[in-house]
Amino acid sequence: RKEVEQDPGPFNVPEGATVAFNCTYSNSASQSFFWYRQDCRKEPKLLMSVYSSGNEDGRFTAQLNRASQYISLLIRDSKLSDSATYLCVVILYGQNFVFGPGTRLSVLP
Amino acid sequence: DGGITQSPKYLFRKEGQNVTLSCEQNLNHDAMYWYRQDPGQGLRLIYYSQIVNDFQKGDIAEGYSVSREKKESFPLTVTSAQKNPTAFYLCASSPTRDQPQHFGDGTRLSIL
């Protein structure tokens, strides 16, 4: 089983839709979690950290479910500019980041 | 402005040639990383460094070499031993190993 898995998509959604991605991880001792966004042929950029209690940043909500070993990203009121690949990242303290393969989102007009 | 600068943006390698990709950061970060990304794939770690004059192999270090003589610089050499070097190479840095990484805008390497 891979350390971090994501549904590759693509998720094709209309503008204004709500879309959610999940990311599962295999190591129950994983401590920190992040979501990155990568536009086509560009570098990844940090979108948000994921906290145990869940956190929100505008239209974006991140949640962590330790019991089932997954994190999620919810995007409300999707914009065309949200089209990108979303990478989840899992880290064990003292270990390196493990990047998921990414989920591609296309928001359609 | 603080950030990470990678150069060149595009690089072409001839058969049997070594090439060096530059990565410089002025964020005063201790940790630096090199990743390789193939089309439609995730990031794979090549090498990382937590401190000057020290670096460790990542998951796919064969055919690559690095140095960390200065805190702000972490160049990557793609040697002739790397038989399939065509990829997008990303350099990143973070304050420490456990904190979010920030990326440069990458170098695209192709074989002539």
Side-chain angles (χ1 to χ4, degrees), chain A residues 34 36 38 41-44 46 91 93-97 99, chain B residues 35 37 45 48 88 90 97-101 103-105 108:
Chain A
F34 306 95
Y36 278 72
Q38 186 174 24
R41 298 177 68 82
K42 299 286 189 181
E43 74 277 19
L46 179 65
I91 184 170
Y93 284 139
Q95 303 294 320
N96 288 315
F97 274 30
F99 283 84
Chain B
Y35 292 92
Q37 188 174 37
L45 182 65
Y48 66 97
F88 186 37
L90 288 156
R97 200 173 172 187
D98 299 333
Q99 292 177 272
Q101 296 177 14
F103 286 83
D105 56 7
R108 293 193 181 277

Side-chain angles (χ1 to χ4, degrees), chain A residues 6-68:
Chain A
Q6 294 182 253
D7 184 337
F11 283 58
N12 298 317
V13 303
E15 261 188 299
T18 295
V19 61
F21 314 129
N22 280 348
C23 167
T24 59
Y25 58 95
S26 60
N27 193 326
S28 60
S30 298
Q31 295 290 335
S32 296
F33 308 88
F34 306 95
W35 283 102
Y36 278 72
R37 170 198 169 122
Q38 186 174 24
D39 291 295
C40 188
R41 298 177 68 82
K42 299 286 189 181
E43 74 277 19
K45 292 184 179 177
L46 179 65
L47 181 64
M48 57 197 304
S49 302
V50 185
Y51 301 120
S52 297
S53 55
N55 48 298
E56 193 173 299
D57 182 2
R59 298 181 293 109
F60 298 83
T61 301
Q63 292 193 313
L64 168 63
N65 185 317
R66 285 195 183 274
S68 300

